Amino acid sequence: MSDDESAVAPRRLIYGRRRGRKLSPTRETRFETWRPRLGITLPAPGVTLDPASLFAAPMKAYWVEVGFGDGGHLFALAEQHPEIGFLGVEPYEHGVAKLVMRVAEKVEAGGPDNIRILTDDARLLLKALPDRSVQRGFTLFPDPWPKKRHQWRRIVNADTLADWARLIGPGDELRVATDVPDYQRWMLRHILAEPRFDWQAETSRDWLQRPADWPPSKYEQKAIAAGRTPHYYRLCRI
């Protein structure tokens, strides 16, 4: 890599495990068949990725979810909004496989082909997308990295919020959530330090109750069942 490339290309960083239990032979074959069709190929360092180039049909807007887990939230939104192109990022291959299977079944049944997937470092995608190309972003229940020496790995931070602020246009929205008290404080500290976002909250109900148009995720349901309290933050781009 040249000096110019290294200046614009962030270092690829993926933490935690990437593979779960082995897929059955049938699911493995289906996954390997569909993954290339749905996969996002990152451009060379310094080259912009036009989200429209990822879809065969024109899309009204583009929404991005970082860390989609098993894809339940992303898939529900894609079904509700067939006119929107969805870009999802998740390094955990078993979760990606679950989403790929669901998308394959939907498309084969005649449903909209409006989801694309990156199995890589989410920051690379955020850096590659052009200014004001995303109308809504999501980072829901990310790994909290609770040990103090690991907190710099948290995906909600000053750098990624600055990337979201560049990508999301005025009046559009970023949504983040966590059920971990320390991460709640961390998120708010960084959210309030980013002047290009306005936290959409007037009472505690605004961050303690999931909005009606915000589909639940599997992890969120597990957190509630375990007695933890999710916090939901809606941030409007000023």
Side-chain angles (χ1 to χ4, degrees):
M1 181 181 291
S2 69
D3 291 341
D4 288 342
E5 287 177 328
S6 63
V8 297
R11 189 159 52 98
R12 177 177 277 102
L13 297 171
I14 298 176
Y15 308 105
R17 62 176 183 161
R18 298 195 66 182
R19 298 188 68 92
R21 63 184 182 275
K22 186 174 177 59
L23 299 173
S24 68
T26 301
R27 290 173 67 85
E28 181 75 28
T29 299
R30 191 173 179 83
F31 177 51
E32 293 301 333
T33 299
W34 274 86
R35 180 166 60 173
R37 174 174 174 177
L38 302 176
I40 297 172
T41 300
L42 292 169
V47 177
T48 298
L49 173 64
D50 179 2
S53 68
L54 301 173
F55 299 91
M59 296 290 170
K60 181 180 178 180
Y62 300 95
W63 294 5
V64 176
E65 181 168 351
V66 167
F68 59 70
D70 70 349
H73 171 268
L74 180 62
F75 188 81
L77 283 178
E79 285 201 308
Q80 293 171 13
H81 300 281
E83 77 285 2
I84 302 293
F86 289 85
L87 282 60
V89 188
E90 175 57 53
Y92 183 42
E93 198 167 84
H94 197 77
V96 174
K98 284 187 176 182
L99 180 59
V100 168
M101 303 301 178
R102 296 184 73 182
V103 173
E105 291 174 0
K106 179 185 71 169
V107 174
E108 288 174 345
D113 183 12
N114 63 335
I115 294 177
R116 296 294 180 266
I117 299 168
L118 177 68
T119 311
D120 207 331
D121 181 352
R123 300 171 315 126
L124 300 180
L125 178 64
L126 298 183
K127 298 293 185 188
L129 292 170
D131 294 0
R132 300 188 179 185
S133 59
V134 176
Q135 285 66 47
R136 187 170 293 181
F138 307 87
T139 302
L140 308 181
F141 304 97
D143 193 321
W145 294 106
K147 294 182 180 179
K148 194 164 186 177
R149 68 177 184 271
H150 291 155
Q151 289 182 354
W152 61 275
R153 298 178 178 180
R154 290 175 169 176
I155 192 63
V156 177
N157 56 47
D159 185 56
T160 55
L161 284 170
D163 282 333
W164 283 119
R166 178 183 64 82
L167 296 176
I168 296 174
D172 293 324
E173 191 171 294
L174 172 65
R175 296 183 174 187
V176 298
T178 183
D179 62 301
V180 179
D182 178 64
Y183 209 171
Q184 293 162 6
R185 294 187 291 270
W186 169 283
M187 283 184 174
L188 277 181
R189 185 165 72 251
H190 287 84
I191 287 167
L192 296 176
E194 174 47 73
R196 289 169 290 181
F197 281 118
D198 180 32
W199 180 24
Q200 302 292 286
E202 296 181 358
T203 70
S204 62
R205 179 184 177 88
D206 295 323
W207 69 81
L208 291 175
Q209 182 169 314
R210 177 169 40 81
D213 65 343
W214 185 326
S217 70
K218 181 179 179 180
Y219 182 87
E220 172 195 2
Q221 293 170 325
K222 288 174 65 175
I224 293 172
R228 299 191 294 274
T229 302
H231 282 207
Y232 311 91
Y233 303 122
R234 296 174 56 242
L235 314 178
C236 181
R237 177 66 164 86
I238 298 172

